[in-house]
Amino acid sequence: MKYSLCAGAFFAACLSTPTLAHDVMADDHAPIGVMADHAHKKGEVMFSVRHMHMEMSGNQIGTDSISPEDIATTIPNRFFGAPGQPPTLRIVPTSMRTDMTMVGAMYAPTDWVTLIAMGSYVEKEMEHITFAGGAGTNVRGNFTTNPKGFGDITLGGIFPILGVSDRKGDVQRELNVRAAVSIPTGSTTKTAQILTPMGAEPTVRVPYMMQIGSGTWDLKPSVTYKSWHGSIGLGSQYSGTIRTGTNDQGYRFGDVHELTTWISYRPAQWISLSGRIKGRATSPVEGIDPMIMGPVQTANPDFQGGERVDLIGGINLVGTHGPLAGHRLGIEVGAPVYQDLNGPQMTGDWMFTIGWQKSF
């Protein structure tokens, strides 16, 4: 509700503007879910705040769904043979949400580089079913894990190859490259209380996907191309996360490669509508944390990563006059249309992003 009120107030303020006092365009920037899409001119500063919400439910192996009962009775437990470990997975995640608030800053000391910094606060919540004993489908109970904390910090620069467009011609183009590094400031040792198949309730280290940070120094390159043809905008970006080592817990997350392409339509200077498609490929976890062990799929490094394609719709608004001049508000909502997961693994449902940006 608060997101709707925020967007509504911005929308009303823009509609009430009788004249256009600035050269800013709503589609100058990419959809709000696309990072590092633009550079700035010398001396410019920009601040941004984004909030992303993601939901997951159910499980898949490859492209096929699988029920909790089938997981509990047919999927081998990697840790079988260790004390207290049953032969199959007896704890099954059923739903998950992730909320991430990102705060960013950009500064251009010269026209040829824009320095960037971004930090985040992350909260994750996962629901589980625990099946009783070592076999069968009798349910022991349910439990929730809810780790939260500050995530990794990204520092780097954006280098405009074609320069920063002034948008005064009929056709304009931009091309930029990001070189950045993610600093491992987020925790990789979060814990939570669980319910075991035998009814115990120990506090253990949460599995890989529930940790807040990567624990490694990660390279984050990207290349972005944008063009405008009158009121139509086109864009495409490759971005990656390349792990450079193993963390203190003995593992490294898989590399991530993303490619997204979008088209936007600007019916007026202060508003643009967008649609985009995003493909993402993630490798499995390499190595293992000896403190992460249990009859649950999320504790198995091999059951991580896969391929996914999302369709996403969005709106960009920009203030053109008065106290809101230069303020930007972006919203995107999307859902996966294809998932091929190294499973069993949680299935993505939908995501929502809202963000504010302002240059000075």
Side-chain angles (χ1 to χ4, degrees):
M1 183 67 177
K2 63 182 180 180
Y3 299 142
S4 299
L5 290 174
C6 179
F10 199 102
F11 183 84
C14 289
L15 277 182
S16 65
T17 303
T19 59
L20 302 176
H22 295 264
D23 278 342
V24 295
M25 299 285 183
D27 61 348
D28 284 340
H29 293 188
I32 194 65
V34 179
M35 310 291 183
D37 70 291
H38 66 278
H40 287 271
K41 294 181 179 179
K42 180 179 179 179
E44 289 183 345
V45 176
M46 192 188 85
F47 297 104
S48 65
V49 180
R50 289 177 173 87
H51 183 80
M52 300 179 65
H53 177 84
M54 293 167 281
E55 295 272 354
M56 308 177 81
S57 66
N59 289 277
Q60 282 186 204
I61 297 178
T63 59
D64 299 321
S65 298
I66 184 170
S67 70
E69 290 77 14
D70 285 342
I71 291 174
T73 56
T74 66
I75 304 300
N77 176 16
R78 176 185 181 127
F79 306 102
F80 177 53
Q85 292 296 318
T88 59
L89 302 180
R90 305 296 291 165
I91 300 174
V92 181
T94 56
S95 65
M96 178 180 176
R97 70 169 178 86
T98 301
D99 284 284
M100 180 185 300
T101 300
M102 296 167 285
V103 178
M106 304 175 73
Y107 168 65
T110 70
D111 285 339
W112 60 267
V113 62
T114 297
L115 303 178
I116 59 173
M118 178 169 287
S120 63
Y121 184 83
V122 183
E123 179 176 356
K124 301 181 179 183
E125 183 177 87
M126 181 177 281
E127 305 285 344
H128 305 74
I129 293 177
T130 299
F131 291 90
T137 57
N138 290 332
V139 175
R140 170 74 66 184
N142 303 86
F143 69 93
T144 302
T145 57
N146 183 213
K148 61 189 75 173
F150 290 100
D152 296 341
I153 293 174
T154 297
L155 298 176
I158 298 175
F159 302 87
I161 305 302
L162 294 183
V164 180
S165 170
D166 60 13
R167 301 295 302 279
K168 292 181 179 179
D170 292 333
V171 178
Q172 293 290 327
R173 297 178 176 86
E174 288 184 12
L175 176 66
N176 71 63
V177 174
R178 177 184 67 182
V181 62
S182 176
I183 303 171
T185 52
S187 174
T188 56
T189 58
K190 291 289 185 179
T191 61
Q193 188 178 58
I194 68 168
L195 174 64
T196 72
M198 302 309 295
E201 297 184 351
T203 296
V204 301
R205 184 171 294 177
V206 296
Y208 305 96
M209 69 183 300
M210 296 301 286
Q211 293 297 335
I212 303 301
S214 70
T216 54
W217 291 74
D218 304 329
L219 304 179
K220 299 182 74 68
S222 73
V223 180
T224 307
Y225 175 80
K226 298 188 294 183
S227 66
W228 297 267
H229 309 260
S231 60
I232 302 297
L234 302 171
S236 187
Q237 182 189 79
Y238 161 79
S239 62
T241 302
I242 312 300
R243 316 297 176 180
T244 62
T246 299
N247 62 29
D248 292 341
Q249 280 62 56
Y251 68 93
R252 58 189 285 175
F253 284 106
D255 293 346
V256 181
H257 300 279
E258 291 186 350
L259 181 64
T260 187
T261 299
W262 66 92
I263 183 171
S264 64
Y265 170 64
R266 176 172 42 82
Q269 180 179 346
W270 56 273
I271 182 173
S272 70
L273 309 173
S274 64
R276 69 182 176 106
I277 184 169
K278 180 178 75 170
R280 176 186 177 104
T282 306
S283 301
V285 171
E286 296 183 14
I288 193 167
D289 183 343
M291 298 298 293
I292 297 177
M293 178 185 295
V296 61
Q297 66 203 41
T298 49
N300 189 334
D302 294 335
F303 295 156
Q304 317 289 329
E307 298 175 350
R308 171 172 168 163
V309 177
D310 296 310
L311 291 182
I312 307 168
I315 182 172
N316 278 3
L317 305 172
V318 63
T320 56
H321 188 72
L324 289 180
H327 289 266
R328 294 178 177 275
L329 181 71
I331 298 173
E332 280 196 304
V333 179
V337 294
Y338 172 81
Q339 297 179 81
D340 186 356
L341 306 178
N342 302 324
Q345 194 178 142
M346 292 288 294
T347 305
D349 269 352
W350 62 277
M351 76 286 292
F352 172 83
T353 305
I354 185 169
W356 164 88
Q357 300 168 315
K358 177 66 170 70
S359 298
F360 300 89

